[in-house]
C-alpha cells in the first residue's frame, strides 16, 4: 500500500515539476487516501468503464489533478508519456481534467456554461 501511494506522490510531483506549473502539495498529501479508495473501496469494472453500477470518484480536480492522473496511470488508463504532457496545450492531461469516463475522469471543474455561449 505504501509503495503505491509513494508512486502516486512521485508521479504527481514529477508532473508539476516538468510542467513548471501547478501545485503538488494536495496531490502528494492525498496519495494515501486515493490509493486506499481505489484499491479497497471503490467498486468498478476496468473492462467496462461505463458500467452503470460503478462507484464514481468526484473531486475538484484542479489542484488535485496530478493525484488523479497518477492514480489512473497506475490502473492503466494513462501512459507515463501522457503524464509528461501535464498542463500542456492539447494534452490528454490538462490541469483541469475534462470528463472522460473511459479513462476514469468522472467530472470536471471547467465551467462550460461560461466557456461556450448558449443559444
Amino acid at each position: 500500500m505504501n509503495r503505491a501511494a509513494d508512486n502516486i506522490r512521485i508521479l504527481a510531483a514529477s508532473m508539476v515539476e516538468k510542467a513548471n506549473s501547478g501545485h503538488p502539495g494536495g496531490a502528494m498529501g492525498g496519495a494515501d487516501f486515493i490509493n486506499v479508495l481505489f484499491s479497497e473501496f471503490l467498486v468498478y469494472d476496468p473492462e467496462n468503464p461505463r458500467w452503470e453500477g460503478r462507484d464514481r470518484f468526484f473531486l475538484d480536480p484542479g489542484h488535485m489533478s496530478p493525484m488523479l492522473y497518477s492514480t489512473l496511470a497506475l490502473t492503466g488508463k494513462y501512459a507515463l508519456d501522457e503524464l509528461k504532457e501535464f498542463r500542456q496545450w492539447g494534452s490528454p492531461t490538462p490541469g483541469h481534467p475534462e470528463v472522460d469516463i473511459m479513462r476514469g475522469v468522472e467530472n470536471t471543474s471547467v465551467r462550460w456554461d461560461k466557456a461556450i455561449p448558449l443559444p
Side-chain angles (χ1 to χ4, degrees):
M1 289 297 279
N2 289 339
R3 184 171 289 171
D6 287 344
N7 283 328
I8 293 167
R9 278 188 270 279
I10 290 166
L11 288 170
S14 296
M15 291 167 62
V16 171
E17 179 69 23
K18 179 157 186 355
N20 198 26
S21 176
H23 307 278
M28 293 174 69
D32 291 306
F33 86 76
I34 197 170
N35 181 49
V36 169
L37 280 174
F38 270 80
S39 62
E40 295 187 18
F41 292 100
L42 292 182
V43 177
Y44 59 97
D45 181 355
E47 301 299 316
N48 184 8
R50 293 189 182 275
W51 173 50
E52 290 193 22
R54 74 188 180 281
D55 288 336
R56 279 107 167 145
F57 179 71
F58 284 78
L59 80 155
D60 180 11
H63 287 232
M64 301 297 271
S65 62
M67 178 187 73
L68 179 61
Y69 290 134
S70 297
T71 302
L72 294 173
L74 293 175
T75 65
K77 299 291 185 183
Y78 286 89
L80 292 179
D81 284 342
E82 292 175 312
L83 298 185
K84 293 176 184 175
E85 298 176 32
F86 177 62
R87 295 186 69 110
Q88 303 304 305
W89 185 258
S91 166
T93 51
H96 288 263
E98 297 176 16
V99 174
D100 188 346
I101 292 170
M102 298 304 287
R103 298 190 93 176
V105 180
E106 296 279 356
N107 70 309
T108 184
S109 61
V110 175
R111 295 275 318 262
W112 290 110
D113 62 321
K114 301 292 182 193
I116 301 171
L118 299 176

